[in-house]
PDB file of all heavy atoms in Angstrom:
ATOM      1  N   THR A  43       9.292   8.136 -18.904  1.00 96.00           N
ATOM      2  CA  THR A  43       9.623   9.524 -18.627  1.00 96.00           C
ATOM      3  C   THR A  43       8.804  10.066 -17.430  1.00 96.00           C
ATOM      4  O   THR A  43       9.125  11.160 -16.951  1.00 96.00           O
ATOM      5  CB  THR A  43       9.376  10.375 -19.874  1.00 96.00           C
ATOM      6  OG1 THR A  43       7.985  10.344 -20.208  1.00 96.00           O
ATOM      7  CG2 THR A  43      10.192   9.951 -21.092  1.00 96.00           C
ATOM      8  N   ALA A  69     -10.338  12.191 -33.659  1.00 96.00           N
ATOM      9  CA  ALA A  69      -9.477  12.236 -32.528  1.00 96.00           C
ATOM     10  C   ALA A  69      -8.470  13.412 -32.850  1.00 96.00           C
ATOM     11  O   ALA A  69      -7.662  13.409 -33.713  1.00 96.00           O
ATOM     12  CB  ALA A  69      -8.659  10.993 -32.405  1.00 96.00           C
ATOM     13  N   PRO A  71      -5.479  15.470 -31.436  1.00 96.00           N
ATOM     14  CA  PRO A  71      -4.397  15.409 -30.447  1.00 96.00           C
ATOM     15  C   PRO A  71      -4.113  16.721 -29.777  1.00 96.00           C
ATOM     16  O   PRO A  71      -4.308  17.741 -30.495  1.00 96.00           O
ATOM     17  CB  PRO A  71      -3.191  14.844 -31.331  1.00 96.00           C
ATOM     18  CG  PRO A  71      -3.407  15.286 -32.731  1.00 96.00           C
ATOM     19  CD  PRO A  71      -4.942  15.284 -32.937  1.00 96.00           C
ATOM     20  N   SER A  77      -2.383  24.206 -22.383  1.00 93.00           N
ATOM     21  CA  SER A  77      -3.729  24.854 -22.298  1.00 93.00           C
ATOM     22  C   SER A  77      -4.522  24.779 -23.515  1.00 93.00           C
ATOM     23  O   SER A  77      -5.457  25.526 -23.611  1.00 93.00           O
ATOM     24  CB  SER A  77      -3.520  26.281 -21.778  1.00 93.00           C
ATOM     25  OG  SER A  77      -2.711  27.056 -22.781  1.00 93.00           O
ATOM     26  N   LEU A 109     -14.467   2.058 -30.683  1.00 97.00           N
ATOM     27  CA  LEU A 109     -13.625   2.707 -31.607  1.00 97.00           C
ATOM     28  C   LEU A 109     -12.086   2.167 -31.280  1.00 97.00           C
ATOM     29  O   LEU A 109     -11.787   1.954 -30.034  1.00 97.00           O
ATOM     30  CB  LEU A 109     -13.679   4.190 -31.494  1.00 97.00           C
ATOM     31  CG  LEU A 109     -14.961   4.823 -31.930  1.00 97.00           C
ATOM     32  CD1 LEU A 109     -14.945   6.340 -31.763  1.00 97.00           C
ATOM     33  CD2 LEU A 109     -15.317   4.469 -33.315  1.00 97.00           C
ATOM     34  N   ALA A 137     -16.688  -8.163 -25.563  1.00 97.00           N
ATOM     35  CA  ALA A 137     -17.098  -8.431 -24.153  1.00 97.00           C
ATOM     36  C   ALA A 137     -17.370  -7.059 -23.504  1.00 97.00           C
ATOM     37  O   ALA A 137     -16.739  -6.151 -23.714  1.00 97.00           O
ATOM     38  CB  ALA A 137     -16.174  -9.179 -23.442  1.00 97.00           C
ATOM     39  N   ASP A 144     -28.747  -5.428 -17.480  1.00 89.00           N
ATOM     40  CA  ASP A 144     -28.324  -6.117 -16.240  1.00 89.00           C
ATOM     41  C   ASP A 144     -27.675  -7.442 -16.456  1.00 89.00           C
ATOM     42  O   ASP A 144     -27.897  -8.440 -15.821  1.00 89.00           O
ATOM     43  CB  ASP A 144     -29.633  -6.439 -15.398  1.00 89.00           C
ATOM     44  CG  ASP A 144     -30.303  -5.149 -14.871  1.00 89.00           C
ATOM     45  OD1 ASP A 144     -29.682  -4.036 -15.071  1.00 89.00           O
ATOM     46  OD2 ASP A 144     -31.415  -5.242 -14.544  1.00 89.00           O
ATOM     47  N   ILE A 148     -21.183 -11.105 -24.239  1.00 96.00           N
ATOM     48  CA  ILE A 148     -20.259 -11.138 -25.472  1.00 96.00           C
ATOM     49  C   ILE A 148     -20.974 -11.159 -26.612  1.00 96.00           C
ATOM     50  O   ILE A 148     -22.058 -11.910 -26.797  1.00 96.00           O
ATOM     51  CB  ILE A 148     -19.393 -12.562 -25.444  1.00 96.00           C
ATOM     52  CG1 ILE A 148     -18.419 -12.498 -24.150  1.00 96.00           C
ATOM     53  CG2 ILE A 148     -18.556 -12.654 -26.714  1.00 96.00           C
ATOM     54  CD1 ILE A 148     -17.584 -13.843 -24.055  1.00 96.00           C
ATOM     55  N   ILE A 156     -23.911 -13.290 -28.481  1.00 95.00           N
ATOM     56  CA  ILE A 156     -23.239 -14.647 -28.354  1.00 95.00           C
ATOM     57  C   ILE A 156     -23.615 -15.285 -27.085  1.00 95.00           C
ATOM     58  O   ILE A 156     -23.984 -16.547 -26.964  1.00 95.00           O
ATOM     59  CB  ILE A 156     -21.777 -14.521 -28.630  1.00 95.00           C
ATOM     60  CG1 ILE A 156     -21.559 -13.980 -30.098  1.00 95.00           C
ATOM     61  CG2 ILE A 156     -21.032 -15.848 -28.413  1.00 95.00           C
ATOM     62  CD1 ILE A 156     -20.024 -13.734 -30.345  1.00 95.00           C
ATOM     63  N   TYR A 164     -30.481 -10.102  -5.119  1.00 94.00           N
ATOM     64  CA  TYR A 164     -30.790 -10.313  -3.662  1.00 94.00           C
ATOM     65  C   TYR A 164     -32.130  -9.964  -3.252  1.00 94.00           C
ATOM     66  O   TYR A 164     -32.700  -9.042  -4.098  1.00 94.00           O
ATOM     67  CB  TYR A 164     -29.731  -9.470  -2.858  1.00 94.00           C
ATOM     68  CG  TYR A 164     -28.244  -9.760  -3.272  1.00 94.00           C
ATOM     69  CD1 TYR A 164     -27.583  -9.047  -4.084  1.00 94.00           C
ATOM     70  CD2 TYR A 164     -27.623 -11.010  -2.626  1.00 94.00           C
ATOM     71  CE1 TYR A 164     -26.306  -9.285  -4.457  1.00 94.00           C
ATOM     72  CE2 TYR A 164     -26.284 -11.226  -3.016  1.00 94.00           C
ATOM     73  CZ  TYR A 164     -25.635 -10.447  -3.960  1.00 94.00           C
ATOM     74  OH  TYR A 164     -24.370 -10.609  -4.313  1.00 94.00           O
ATOM     75  N   ASN A 171     -29.977   0.883   1.746  1.00 91.00           N
ATOM     76  CA  ASN A 171     -30.346   2.044   1.012  1.00 91.00           C
ATOM     77  C   ASN A 171     -31.037   1.785  -0.266  1.00 91.00           C
ATOM     78  O   ASN A 171     -30.877   2.258  -1.391  1.00 91.00           O
ATOM     79  CB  ASN A 171     -29.117   2.805   0.620  1.00 91.00           C
ATOM     80  CG  ASN A 171     -28.328   3.418   1.814  1.00 91.00           C
ATOM     81  OD1 ASN A 171     -28.977   4.183   2.493  1.00 91.00           O
ATOM     82  ND2 ASN A 171     -27.186   2.969   2.169  1.00 91.00           N
ATOM     83  N   SER A 200     -20.937  -6.057 -10.033  1.00 94.00           N
ATOM     84  CA  SER A 200     -22.341  -5.541  -9.969  1.00 94.00           C
ATOM     85  C   SER A 200     -22.708  -4.985  -8.629  1.00 94.00           C
ATOM     86  O   SER A 200     -22.039  -5.248  -7.638  1.00 94.00           O
ATOM     87  CB  SER A 200     -23.370  -6.674 -10.426  1.00 94.00           C
ATOM     88  OG  SER A 200     -23.293  -7.729  -9.568  1.00 94.00           O
ATOM     89  N   ALA A 228     -20.664  -0.315  -5.999  1.00 87.00           N
ATOM     90  CA  ALA A 228     -20.370  -1.279  -7.018  1.00 87.00           C
ATOM     91  C   ALA A 228     -18.986  -1.213  -7.508  1.00 87.00           C
ATOM     92  O   ALA A 228     -18.346  -0.209  -7.472  1.00 87.00           O
ATOM     93  CB  ALA A 228     -21.404  -0.947  -8.228  1.00 87.00           C
ATOM     94  N   LEU A 232     -11.867  -4.031 -12.671  1.00 92.00           N
ATOM     95  CA  LEU A 232     -11.322  -5.333 -12.286  1.00 92.00           C
ATOM     96  C   LEU A 232     -10.002  -5.816 -13.232  1.00 92.00           C
ATOM     97  O   LEU A 232     -10.021  -5.302 -14.248  1.00 92.00           O
ATOM     98  CB  LEU A 232     -12.354  -6.403 -12.408  1.00 92.00           C
ATOM     99  CG  LEU A 232     -13.570  -6.310 -11.589  1.00 92.00           C
ATOM    100  CD1 LEU A 232     -14.617  -7.359 -11.888  1.00 92.00           C
ATOM    101  CD2 LEU A 232     -13.306  -6.372 -10.077  1.00 92.00           C
TER     102      LEU A 232
END
Side-chain angles (χ1 to χ4, degrees):
T43 62
S77 59
L109 295 172
D144 295 346
I148 294 177
I156 296 174
Y164 305 96
N171 293 298
S200 62
L232 297 175

